[in-house]
């Protein structure tokens, strides 16, 4: 038993030494000025949009709602990916319009940017039609999804929304990504 343990330790030490021998010269010649920030590496690892992409031209109200979603995401301490998922979801659900009751055209009692339902526990009609509140409610649901950061956007959104059209969110990923890129630091 001790012999096996000793051989294992020698093997691990040998691998560590070999890694240092090969990586050491590379690291020694690396230029720290050329190093990329970790955030860049994380952003480039984001999944690519799935399928055909849709795009709409936004009016001032829709742009204000984009900014409200981003502000709520930042306030919640979540990364840009959460804002992308939120905006894509809102694009699908309401085209970023804060919808009130639509009469016969209404889907049950769905309201607001995310078409959340008071009868499903999302909040009161007044709360759901407040962009900051509705975004915070959506993000609360998103946080409860294990691994949402690495999921396809449509899977993360669908897990929160439970839509009759689960794949529909994917078509808005590129526009949502562009909007977050445009407004995140503004």
């Amino acid at each position: 038993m001790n012999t096996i343990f000793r051989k294992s330790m020698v093997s691990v030490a040998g691998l560590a030494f070999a890694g240092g021998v090969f990586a050491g010269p590379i690291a020694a010649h690396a230029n720290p000025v050329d190093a990329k920030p970790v955030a860049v590496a994380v952003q480039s690892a984001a999944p690519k949009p799935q399928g055909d992409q849709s795009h709409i031209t936004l009016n001032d109200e829709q742009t204000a709602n984009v900014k409200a979603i981003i502000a709520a995401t930042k306030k919640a301490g979540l990364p840009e990916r959460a804002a992308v998922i939120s905006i894509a979801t809102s694009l699908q659900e309401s085209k970023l319009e804060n919808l009130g009751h639509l009469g016969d055209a209404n889907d049950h009692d769905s309201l607001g940017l995310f078409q959340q339902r008071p009868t499903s526990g999302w909040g009161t009609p007044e709360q759901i039609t407040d962009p900051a509140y509705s975004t915070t409610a959506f993000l609360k649901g998103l946080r409860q999804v294990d691994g949402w950061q690495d999921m396809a956007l449509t899977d993360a959104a669908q897990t929160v929304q439970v839509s009759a059209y689960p794949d529909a969110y994917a078509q808005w990923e590129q526009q949502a990504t562009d909007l977050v890129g445009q407004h995140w630091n503004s």
Side-chain angles (χ1 to χ4, degrees), residues 144-163:
Q144 295 174 0
V145 177
D146 288 334
W148 66 266
Q149 302 92 330
D150 301 317
M151 282 184 175
L153 180 143
T154 198
D155 294 336
Q158 173 61 12
T159 303
V160 177
Q161 293 292 104
V162 192
S163 170

Side-chain angles (χ1 to χ4, degrees), residues 43-172:
Q43 289 174 351
S44 66
K48 292 185 178 180
Q50 296 176 325
D52 293 336
Q53 295 294 294
S54 296
H55 185 277
I56 60 171
T57 301
L58 303 184
N59 62 30
D60 291 343
E61 176 191 355
Q62 292 164 309
T63 301
N65 288 330
V66 165
K67 292 176 180 180
I69 290 170
I70 289 172
T73 303
K74 287 179 173 183
K75 186 174 181 180
L78 291 171
E80 292 176 50
R81 180 73 177 153
V84 170
I85 295 168
S86 300
I87 291 169
T89 301
S90 182
L91 277 162
Q92 175 57 34
E93 295 293 346
S94 69
K95 303 299 182 276
L96 287 166
E97 294 176 1
N98 195 12
L99 300 175
H101 196 279
L102 301 175
D104 291 340
N106 213 40
D107 179 25
H108 306 287
D109 58 341
S110 300
L111 301 167
L113 294 173
F114 296 91
Q115 289 294 278
Q116 296 160 329
R117 298 177 60 195
T119 57
S120 295
W122 285 101
T124 66
E126 294 77 22
Q127 290 172 321
I128 291 171
T129 54
D130 174 344
Y133 177 91
S134 63
T135 302
T136 301
F138 176 82
L139 293 170
K140 181 179 177 185
L142 185 64
R143 281 184 168 173
Q144 295 174 0
V145 177
D146 288 334
W148 66 266
Q149 302 92 330
D150 301 317
M151 282 184 175
L153 180 143
T154 198
D155 294 336
Q158 173 61 12
T159 303
V160 177
Q161 293 292 104
V162 192
S163 170
Y165 306 97
D167 298 323
Y169 302 106
Q171 69 183 312
W172 300 106

Side-chain angles (χ1 to χ4, degrees), residues 22-37:
F22 289 107
I26 294 169
H29 296 291
N31 185 349
V33 174
D34 294 335
K36 300 277 189 246

Side-chain angles (χ1 to χ4, degrees), residues 4-17:
I4 293 172
F5 179 75
R6 249 184 272 132
K7 286 181 180 179
S8 296
M9 291 307 293
V10 169
S11 296
V12 169
L15 286 173
F17 175 76

